[in-house]
Amino acid sequence: MVGFKPADVPPTAAVKFVGAGTAACIADLLTFPLDTAKVRLQIQGEAGKAAAFKTTAVKYRGVLGTITTMVRTEGPRSLYSGLVAGLQRQMSFASVRIGLYDSVKQFYTKGSEHAGIGSRLMAGCTTGALAVAVAQPTDVVKVRFQAQVRSSGNVKRYCSTLNAYSTIAKEEGISGLWKGTAPNIARNAIVNCSELVTYDFIKDLLLNSTPMTDTLPCHFVSAFGAGLVTTVIASPVDVVKTRYMNSALGQYGSVLNCAVTMMSKEGPQAFYKGFMPSFLRLGSWNIVMFVTYEQLKRAMMTVNLNSKPL
């Protein structure tokens, strides 16, 4: 068997909380360029469709094309623009939405070992909404940095993570740091339910209906399935969230106005812009995160048990 064996004692809420945040940061470090490519593809075309724009070649084409274009025109570091805010986001965001999921699920089932689909969905929505309430400013700054084009002809919108927080607060008010909270709550309720409930469901199915045990192959298959389902369901909300959070003050009257503008100017396909990098990112992110999370939980519980006096 690969990795640590399941501990006899279930992991505590604190272990899950810290383990989820750490695992999410590791996953972000490995998949961040795909996330940046996704953001660039999602915002492409939002400036409007003037005649000149229609005849101009699209700047980004596909995942590899977007990454290659960014490296050629802005340098390799552009792929990790916003990484600091991204890690801040994951440490606060994933710790809540993933680390507290089992505890909230047990709350809804009143301690019962059997959790139905309703309890799992409620737990996913609850921890997803709580996570947004905690980490929204970090998400706004991350998206702004990823959308910011680095070139000699463009003045950078923000020069550092701290500068981004202070500039947004000064120019747009404190509410600017919470811009897009509504679509982000919707998006993360969907993502959390799709991701965690699908992982939970597939893992239980594999353990109960196949020869697989609670080891790496089971975690890998469950995480891959969770990434695919989440991308298909969450992409439209994710695109609207990205557009709205990155928009200039007054560009869109509301989240709904942003969605309607996208539909009228770019058509329904706009809601699936960046789908392939979204899938590559979510699929690989889920695999790295869940596999790492499972191993970290076991490692920390092993350390805790071994450190206790006999």
Side-chain angles (χ1 to χ4, degrees):
M1 186 184 75
V2 179
F4 294 91
K5 295 181 180 180
D8 294 329
V9 180
T12 63
V15 165
K16 293 177 183 177
F17 188 87
V18 175
T22 304
C25 285
I26 292 171
D28 241 30
L29 282 169
L30 295 177
T31 64
F32 205 80
L34 291 172
D35 192 40
T36 303
K38 177 203 74 171
V39 169
R40 291 295 180 91
L41 286 167
Q42 286 178 337
I43 65 171
Q44 183 165 251
E46 70 175 331
K49 292 202 171 186
F53 181 81
K54 290 180 181 179
T55 57
T56 303
V58 174
K59 185 175 183 180
Y60 303 117
R61 293 185 183 276
V63 185
L64 183 59
T66 301
I67 291 174
T68 302
T69 298
M70 289 181 64
V71 170
R72 187 179 69 249
T73 60
E74 305 172 50
R77 289 181 60 187
S78 64
L79 297 174
Y80 283 90
S81 183
L83 178 63
V84 173
L87 295 179
Q88 291 171 351
R89 174 183 180 271
Q90 291 298 353
M91 204 63 222
S92 54
F93 187 76
S95 296
V96 174
R97 78 177 184 89
I98 298 171
L100 297 184
Y101 172 75
D102 286 334
S103 299
V104 174
K105 183 174 68 175
Q106 288 173 3
F107 170 79
Y108 283 124
T109 58
K110 296 179 170 57
S112 171
E113 290 186 5
H114 174 72
I117 189 68
S119 300
R120 298 183 194 204
L121 290 172
M122 288 172 65
C125 287
T126 301
T127 57
L130 285 173
V132 173
V134 172
Q136 180 67 9
T138 62
D139 206 9
V140 172
V141 171
K142 178 184 80 77
V143 167
R144 296 281 183 95
F145 262 102
Q146 289 177 315
Q148 180 172 265
V149 177
R150 293 170 174 264
S151 68
S152 57
N154 288 302
V155 178
K156 288 198 295 184
R157 206 171 176 185
Y158 312 110
C159 59
S160 69
T161 304
L162 288 177
N163 173 254
Y165 285 118
S166 61
T167 301
I168 293 170
K170 183 168 64 177
E171 293 181 353
E172 304 174 39
I174 295 298
S175 60
L177 291 169
W178 300 91
K179 189 172 188 177
T181 298
N184 214 11
I185 287 177
R187 184 250 184 196
N188 282 296
I190 293 169
V191 167
N192 221 35
C193 288
S194 303
E195 199 172 77
L196 295 178
V197 173
T198 302
Y199 180 83
D200 215 10
F201 181 79
I202 294 176
K203 183 179 175 183
D204 282 351
L205 186 66
L206 292 174
L207 293 176
N208 295 327
S209 306
T210 72
M212 280 190 176
T213 56
D214 192 5
T215 52
L216 183 60
C218 175
H219 304 155
F220 182 94
V221 173
S222 302
F224 182 85
L228 178 59
V229 170
T230 302
T231 308
V232 171
I233 294 175
S235 277
V237 181
D238 190 35
V239 175
V240 174
K241 179 214 77 166
T242 299
R243 290 283 187 93
Y244 189 71
M245 286 167 60
N246 184 60
S247 65
L249 190 62
Q251 182 175 350
Y252 300 116
S254 65
V255 175
L256 181 59
N257 173 250
C258 179
V260 171
T261 301
M262 285 174 58
M263 174 65 78
S264 62
K265 291 188 175 181
E266 302 170 61
Q269 68 272 18
F271 292 94
Y272 278 91
K273 278 192 171 183
F275 179 84
M276 188 50 67
S278 287
F279 171 63
L280 290 175
R281 197 260 176 174
L282 269 176
S284 56
W285 191 92
N286 271 272
I287 290 168
V288 175
M289 196 287 298
F290 278 114
V291 168
T292 305
Y293 178 45
E294 297 277 10
Q295 295 302 306
L296 280 175
K297 285 192 298 183
R298 296 171 185 187
M300 286 190 284
M301 287 305 296
T302 300
V303 170
N304 286 343
L305 291 173
N306 291 338
S307 63
K308 289 181 179 179
L310 299 175

